[in-house]
Amino acid sequence: MFKKLIIIANIIGINGINESWESFENWNSESAATGGGNDEFQQYYLHPETARLVNGTLQMRPRFIEQDLRDNIDLYSLGCTNNWNLGCFKKGSMHWKHGELHYHNGVAIPVGGHRSKPFRSTKLISKNSFGYGKLSIDFKLPKGNFLWPAIWMLPESNIPWPMGGEIDIIESMGNSPESGFGLDYSSVSSALHFGNEKSLYPILYTPFAEKVQKQSFNRKNLTDDWHKATLYRSPYNIVITIDDFEIFNCDKMFKAAAYIQPKSSPYREEVLNKGYMAGFRKYIEMMGEKIPDFLWKNQSHDAPFDKKFRLIVNLAIGGNFFGDSMNAGPNDVKPTWDNIEKGSLSTVQFLKRMDEWYDWGDKKYVAENTNVNTMPWQRCIQDDTPCDAGKKYYLESEKHLAYKKPEISDKTTFHIGKIEFTKY
């Protein structure tokens, strides 16, 4: 017999949750600039400019932070929640004392410290946890270069990532379909992350499923309208749909992957016959991956995805997700902050190629200070040679971020609507 728990606008479920999007009382907000482990460019903290509640919906938007990027980032005063990867405090990204060398015309110049975080955005984590059941989320995707919207889940326990698992219900990219990336503002993808020290998601995500199942899912060419993502999770399978079309089915994926494995592969026959019920350990070994014996030992076949998970909604900006070989399109697009190719830091690449970021509005830049020639550090620059102006260095081609900001259109808004959960 199914026991139902409903989280929906204007309805209070049996556990007291009221998800009307009239407040943030059911959510914890992240306040940190960790980069998410993906070299992302945003500072997360709850702010009216980036998170609005309108007519029973959540609207998340990116916003430019009006500050000199040479200054330090200090989020302790905002109740910083995560100091991993210097998430609470970062030295100024272009301060002379904290810089690393980058090369300009063959000359090493100290201009970058920790990577820049020029944007503000939002990440919300549900206070409630979800076990087996059906979880549906209404959403509208944003448009804008290098936006990275996601609806995903992490375990409520503090098991280290990725041992505790991660469920990516949907991820997308704000770039246009012509950008060459593997995703764009009209498509989504799903994945499970699991493993020991590294995630084994390449053998368990939507593009892999399409490959082994030899079919294309209805996950592309999405309209600008509302869509519904649904996660079905039980001891027997994990399925994700978009508008009731499957884009991820673990049982089918297990069996399809087993079918194309050599007959000598361990557990091939069992995975082929039992599918999801054969379990993740046997699926991993069949696929030629190794995990330690202690991992998920004496646990159910669907560990680590048999536990309760918290729901997360966020809008990231930039990161190595763009241009990564697992996600890039046929053109193998490089991100605009490729610090290996250019021999410089991501900060520098961002500044030099800012115009490639901002397909966000009718105007690419709006002057923040029209009298820019009177700024001391600008008067100090001559012939691309940095000098001491308040002990902060810039190159001529890198100084504009201190006094200009992009015009950001409302089309960059990531909408989250009704959320509904039915417990199995």
Side-chain angles (χ1 to χ4, degrees):
M1 182 177 179
F2 292 156
K3 182 179 181 181
K4 292 187 176 181
L5 167 63
I6 303 297
I7 306 174
I8 190 170
N10 301 319
I11 295 179
I12 299 179
I14 60 173
N15 65 347
I17 293 177
N18 179 11
E19 191 47 280
S20 61
W21 287 122
E22 294 177 354
S23 72
F24 295 102
E25 63 179 329
N26 297 324
W27 302 84
N28 292 314
S29 62
E30 179 164 310
S31 177
T34 67
N38 303 301
D39 202 6
E40 298 160 18
F41 272 37
Q42 77 280 337
Q43 301 176 34
Y44 282 131
Y45 53 93
L46 197 59
H47 191 281
E49 284 190 347
T50 58
R52 300 184 301 179
L53 302 180
V54 181
N55 297 326
T57 66
L58 167 66
Q59 298 182 2
M60 291 182 284
R61 305 179 297 168
R63 282 296 179 264
F64 185 75
I65 299 174
E66 297 179 21
Q67 66 182 39
D68 190 328
L69 292 183
R70 296 170 297 176
D71 295 333
N72 295 332
I73 294 174
D74 186 354
L75 297 180
Y76 283 112
S77 62
L78 297 173
C80 191
T81 59
N82 186 358
N83 197 36
W84 173 80
N85 200 26
L86 304 175
C88 293
F89 184 88
K90 290 178 181 291
K91 298 292 186 182
S93 62
M94 303 188 79
H95 195 287
W96 73 287
K97 285 185 176 180
H98 314 305
E100 298 178 34
L101 296 181
H102 105 94
Y103 291 86
H104 184 74
N105 293 334
V107 179
I109 304 171
V111 295
H114 299 292
R115 54 184 173 268
S116 61
K117 301 294 178 187
F119 300 103
R120 178 189 299 124
S121 194
T122 303
K123 179 179 179 181
L124 299 178
I125 306 165
S126 68
K127 294 179 181 178
N128 192 57
S129 299
F130 305 90
Y132 294 138
K134 174 185 174 183
L135 177 62
S136 296
I137 305 102
D138 291 340
F139 69 93
K140 288 176 65 175
L141 293 174
K143 293 182 179 180
N145 286 346
F146 306 106
L147 298 180
W148 184 359
I151 301 172
W152 52 301
M153 306 183 83
L154 285 175
E156 66 174 357
S157 61
N158 292 322
I159 302 175
W161 188 92
M163 288 188 288
E166 173 183 323
I167 303 171
D168 294 341
I169 300 174
I170 64 157
E171 290 181 286
S172 184
M173 290 178 171
N175 295 63
S176 71
E178 294 77 29
S179 64
F181 291 114
L183 287 172
D184 56 65
Y185 59 61
S186 64
S187 63
V188 296
S189 183
S190 303
L192 297 183
H193 291 264
F194 60 105
N196 183 27
E197 295 181 352
K198 68 172 185 177
S199 170
L200 302 178
Y201 86 96
I203 60 174
L204 208 56
Y205 81 134
T206 296
F208 177 77
E210 290 180 318
K211 178 180 178 180
V212 297
Q213 293 176 219
K214 298 180 179 179
Q215 65 181 111
S216 295
F217 302 141
N218 290 299
R219 64 185 186 92
K220 298 183 178 182
N221 302 314
L222 300 181
T223 66
D224 295 338
D225 298 326
W226 285 92
H227 299 277
K228 184 184 293 293
T230 304
L231 167 70
Y232 301 85
R233 185 159 63 105
S234 76
Y236 312 105
N237 203 3
I238 293 178
V239 176
I240 297 172
T241 67
I242 299 296
D243 300 331
D244 297 326
F245 291 101
E246 282 187 4
I247 67 168
F248 186 93
N249 184 313
C250 268
D251 186 68
K252 291 180 180 178
M253 196 184 313
F254 275 30
K255 292 177 179 177
Y259 183 78
I260 62 175
Q261 297 305 306
K263 292 186 178 180
S264 59
S265 298
Y267 303 113
R268 176 185 181 272
E269 293 303 316
E270 184 173 353
V271 176
L272 186 61
N273 292 323
K274 292 184 178 180
Y276 189 77
M277 296 298 292
F280 283 92
R281 287 194 62 95
K282 292 178 180 178
Y283 174 73
I284 291 170
E285 293 191 39
M286 180 196 73
M287 296 300 294
E289 300 286 351
K290 299 296 182 182
I291 55 174
D293 292 338
F294 70 83
L295 197 59
W296 313 317
K297 186 176 182 180
N298 299 324
Q299 295 188 37
S300 61
H301 65 280
D302 59 336
F305 301 104
D306 56 339
K307 307 296 190 299
K308 286 190 173 183
F309 281 65
R310 298 188 189 278
L311 180 64
I312 302 171
V313 293
N314 70 283
L315 181 59
I317 304 164
N320 55 28
F321 187 67
F322 295 89
D324 179 79
S325 60
M326 294 302 298
N327 297 290
N331 297 327
D332 194 25
V333 178
K334 294 289 185 182
T336 60
W337 55 92
D338 187 344
N339 54 5
I340 296 177
E341 183 178 74
K342 297 294 183 180
S344 59
L345 297 175
S346 55
T347 303
V348 177
Q349 289 308 300
F350 170 75
L351 292 171
K352 285 185 175 181
R353 302 176 67 179
M354 268 181 68
D355 60 323
E356 297 183 24
W357 279 72
Y358 302 124
D359 179 23
W360 291 4
D362 296 332
K363 298 179 181 179
K364 288 188 176 181
Y365 301 111
V366 176
E368 188 175 311
N369 185 343
T370 57
N371 195 21
V372 295
N373 291 326
T374 64
M375 303 178 85
W377 59 267
Q378 288 181 305
R379 294 199 303 267
C380 180
I381 295 173
Q382 296 178 359
D383 300 322
D384 282 345
T385 301
C387 58
D388 189 334
K391 295 185 177 180
K392 295 181 180 182
Y393 285 128
Y394 268 100
L395 295 180
E396 180 69 25
S397 60
E398 298 168 350
K399 67 186 181 182
H400 59 279
L401 193 56
Y403 62 91
K404 288 188 176 181
K405 64 179 180 178
E407 179 74 17
I408 301 179
S409 167
D410 281 344
K411 70 181 181 179
T412 61
T413 302
F414 184 27
H415 299 259
I416 302 294
K418 181 176 66 176
I419 298 175
E420 186 175 51
F421 178 68
T422 303
K423 183 177 180 181
Y424 293 164

